[in-house]
Amino acid sequence: MTTAIHVRGLTKRYGEVQAVGGLDLDIHTGEVFAILGPNGAGKSTTVEILEGYRKRDGGEVSVLGVDPGHATSAWRARVGIVLQTANDAAELTVRETVRHFARYYPHSKDPDEVIAKVGLSEKAGARIRQLSGGQRRRVDVALGIVGRPELVFLDEPTTGFDPEARRQFWDLIRSLAAEGTTIVLTTHYLDEAEALADRVAVIAKGRIVAEGTPHTLGGRATASARVTWADGYAETDTPTALVRTLAEKYDGEIPGLQIVRPSLEDVYLDLIGGTE
Amino acid sequence: MTATLNIGLARASLETKLFFRQRDAVIFTFSFPIILLVLFGSIFEGDLEGTGITVAQLYSAGLIGAGVMGVAFQNLAIGIAIDRDDGTLKRLAGTPMPRAAYFVGKLVSSLVLAVIEVALLLAVAVLLFDLELPTDPARWATLAWVLTLGLAGAALLGIAVSSLPRNAKSAAAVVSMPYVLLQFISGVYIPFTELPSWLNDVAAIFPLKWMCQGLRSVFLGDAGAALELTGSYELPKVALVLGLWLVGGLVLCLATFRWTNRGEG
């Protein structure tokens, strides 16, 4: 397994505020990696350092084998960035914009194919101003991938989407991942991380407080389960044994049976709460 | 280098397209100096001290200079402040686009706008105020270099000033003030003979006064030279000051340009 992003001891300070305080991170080539964390946890700062937008104070950072603190245009051609808030070029059409950005890259994809991929073929001739919020983010994605990047950063891509638009957007991300593109995603939505990410890291107070697959994060898979049935409930580390006992007791179906492990949200809130 | 130029020209065509799709900006930018020219030309009739030059012709030369500066300095500075605010610059900075291509795009698109602006103002001045177009090719050559140097200097100054406003909302106010002030002290609206000498000295620091002086030499001809403070159009000095601004503006740009808003970088 090769490493797309390698970070050791990353630090960044704004005046009195230590935004990032010794952060370690490894993201493998081809995986979808989600970075979770509350506002002000150092999430955006970390990602902007990885994207080459910000200088770091200390630590070791390598993105696709290059230090983003000394980004070259050859490196930028390998990295796609989908920004969180961009309202530019409102009076250009989708096709004009994507075609123009394709010129910046040495091995760009066919602009019309990219537009089709993000599902905007019907809107290719429309001005960006006339698009809905969700369609606009699709243009952002198109601009982020038109250069055929090996690595794509997506910063809170579905904020403000309705549920249907989010599902469609997730399919788009999945199809990118299926092509082997490494994807680094920051998000506030835990269901989004759960649906898309191979691995998740939680940042709080400028450090990684937990890292793992969405299913095992923070000991989620092995945490005690809450078993509820018609006549009672129990917290247990061995829910299967309890269910077996109950099944014998009721001689068949257990009325109102429910077994609940902590949700990703429970684990997440616990993790970031623990750092307060 | 060729890649930078090619992408720069592609950006110029994009920028020009964007500008013309913003109807209100188009109308305001082009009509403002034209309305002023019609207004001043109609209010102040008559000749200037037996030179055979009308006040309207004098204003024509001045407003062409002001119009070019409006396109190059004001329009550019506000445009870049908006680009910085709405994410254009940040997005571009994340691509392999050669950074210089952005500036090539801005400069070339303001050159296009300036040429249109000058043509419109000349048409109005010729049709309404009997401005005579020069017949001597040397004067056309003077027009070309004065406009090119003046435009480039003003544009670079505009790029530098674009870093002053905190965001796009304050950009119009921050940028318009120095532009309007310069017009008043550079002989566009008020004859410089009526200004105290210290104000004329201040105006002499900035490019607009020299651009207007060069334009008067083109459109008012030898008869108008007597109206100048020194009795001459001082063309070598015009070239020198505009050239210095070109270099100074470039240095200022390189030193001050920010790809993000203050507090974000």
Side-chain angles (χ1 to χ4, degrees):
Chain A
M1 202 180 300
T2 52
T3 305
I5 296 179
H6 176 84
V7 179
R8 285 293 173 275
L10 176 66
T11 57
K12 176 74 183 182
R13 172 181 279 280
Y14 302 118
E16 291 296 295
V17 183
Q18 187 76 47
V20 182
L23 184 139
D24 298 339
L25 193 64
D26 282 292
I27 298 175
H28 309 307
T29 302
E31 77 176 335
V32 178
F33 193 93
I35 299 178
L36 305 174
N39 289 331
K43 199 173 37 159
S44 295
T45 300
T46 302
V47 172
E48 290 197 341
I49 288 170
L50 299 179
E51 290 167 338
Y53 278 131
R54 260 175 221 279
K55 300 280 177 208
R56 62 183 184 274
D57 293 342
E60 199 184 303
V61 179
S62 161
V63 176
L64 302 179
V66 173
D67 178 350
H70 302 97
T72 60
S73 72
W75 177 80
R76 292 207 177 281
R78 300 166 63 202
V79 176
I81 299 173
V82 179
L83 290 175
Q84 192 182 338
T85 49
N87 292 308
D88 50 324
E91 298 298 338
L92 294 176
T93 69
V94 173
R95 189 180 288 116
E96 284 170 334
T97 309
V98 177
R99 276 202 184 147
H100 178 77
F101 271 74
R103 300 183 69 125
Y104 297 161
Y105 296 87
H107 310 291
S108 60
K109 297 186 188 176
D110 174 52
D112 289 321
E113 260 172 47
V114 173
I115 292 169
K117 183 168 179 63
V118 301
L120 286 177
S121 294
E122 283 174 24
K123 293 282 178 185
R127 296 210 182 160
I128 291 177
R129 176 172 47 80
Q130 299 160 336
L131 302 182
S132 70
Q135 291 169 332
R136 217 168 165 141
R137 296 312 312 248
R138 286 163 177 272
V139 177
D140 292 335
V141 173
L143 299 182
I145 64 171
V146 72
R148 214 183 287 276
E150 297 161 44
L151 166 67
V152 172
F153 289 98
L154 288 160
D155 196 8
E156 299 183 9
T158 62
T159 303
F161 278 27
D162 62 46
E164 197 197 346
R166 281 180 76 208
R167 296 288 163 144
Q168 289 172 353
F169 200 86
W170 289 357
D171 288 338
L172 170 58
I173 305 306
R174 287 193 187 104
S175 76
L176 274 182
E179 292 172 6
T181 314
T182 308
I183 294 171
V184 178
L185 169 82
T186 67
T187 182
H188 279 302
Y189 301 117
L190 295 148
D191 57 338
E192 187 159 288
E194 195 155 19
L196 294 176
D198 299 312
R199 289 195 305 136
V200 176
V202 177
I203 298 189
K205 298 260 165 108
R207 287 168 182 278
I208 304 278
V209 293
E211 196 179 332
T213 69
H215 304 288
T216 59
L217 191 79
R220 199 179 154 200
T222 52
S224 57
R226 185 185 178 90
V227 180
T228 318
W229 64 98
D231 307 315
Y233 69 90
E235 299 273 346
T236 172
D237 289 335
T238 53
T240 314
L242 177 60
V243 168
R244 198 176 290 136
T245 319
L246 286 170
E248 280 168 20
K249 187 180 158 198
Y250 286 99
D251 194 20
E253 278 303 309
I254 308 162
L257 177 68
Q258 250 188 330
I259 305 169
V260 183
R261 302 264 186 199
S263 70
L264 185 57
E265 186 161 312
D266 295 332
V267 173
Y268 170 76
L269 290 174
D270 205 39
L271 282 167
I272 62 168
T275 61
E276 292 297 320
Chain B
M1 196 60 208
T2 28
T4 304
L5 200 64
N6 282 340
I7 294 178
L9 291 177
R11 282 213 59 82
S13 112
L14 200 77
E15 300 264 17
T16 311
K17 217 181 269 179
L18 266 175
F19 176 82
F20 280 102
R21 286 183 187 173
Q22 286 161 313
R23 282 289 148 67
D24 46 349
V26 176
I27 293 169
F28 189 76
T29 305
F30 286 131
S31 67
F32 190 58
I34 292 172
I35 291 172
L36 285 180
L37 176 58
V38 172
L39 205 65
F40 283 127
S42 313
I43 296 171
F44 304 103
E45 288 180 359
D47 287 8
L48 289 164
E49 312 165 25
T51 51
I53 295 164
T54 66
V55 182
Q57 287 167 341
L58 185 65
Y59 274 121
S60 302
L63 280 166
I64 288 172
V68 167
M69 185 142 177
V71 167
F73 174 79
Q74 191 183 33
N75 212 31
L76 202 58
I78 295 173
I80 294 173
I82 292 172
D83 281 354
R84 191 175 283 124
D85 216 36
D86 70 11
T88 304
L89 284 182
K90 191 175 183 185
R91 196 201 291 280
L92 291 175
T95 72
M97 177 199 79
R99 303 252 165 141
Y102 175 76
F103 300 105
V104 172
K106 287 286 182 194
L107 288 174
V108 174
S109 72
S110 43
L111 178 70
V112 172
L113 301 190
V115 168
I116 297 172
E117 176 91 281
V118 170
L120 286 174
L121 281 168
L122 277 181
V124 172
V126 169
L127 291 175
L128 294 182
F129 304 116
D130 303 322
L131 185 78
E132 276 176 44
L133 292 180
T135 46
D136 181 0
R139 287 224 225 140
W140 283 105
T142 306
L143 177 67
W145 72 253
V146 167
L147 284 185
T148 309
L149 277 183
L151 175 91
L156 288 170
L157 204 58
I159 293 170
V161 166
S162 77
S163 294
L164 285 180
R166 286 202 155 267
N167 54 50
K169 281 182 198 138
S170 58
V174 173
V175 172
S176 298
M177 197 194 72
Y179 172 52
V180 172
L181 277 183
L182 272 186
Q183 292 178 77
F184 273 100
I185 65 172
S186 300
V188 176
Y189 303 137
I190 305 171
F192 34 79
T193 44
E194 307 203 347
L195 293 179
S197 64
W198 67 268
L199 260 186
N200 278 321
D201 293 342
V202 172
I205 300 171
F206 296 98
L208 184 58
K209 169 210 150 74
W210 300 99
M211 189 159 45
C212 291
Q213 197 161 314
L215 291 169
R216 285 194 298 272
S217 86
V218 174
F219 296 111
L220 306 186
D222 298 335
L227 298 171
E228 298 295 324
L229 285 174
T230 57
S232 148
Y233 291 121
E234 306 174 286
L235 286 183
K237 209 170 169 185
V238 170
L240 181 73
V241 177
L242 292 182
L244 282 177
W245 265 108
L246 199 63
V247 177
L250 194 63
V251 172
L252 217 54
C253 282
L254 293 174
T256 60
F257 196 81
R258 293 177 290 114
W259 288 83
T260 52
N261 265 341
R262 243 179 272 178
E264 282 177 28

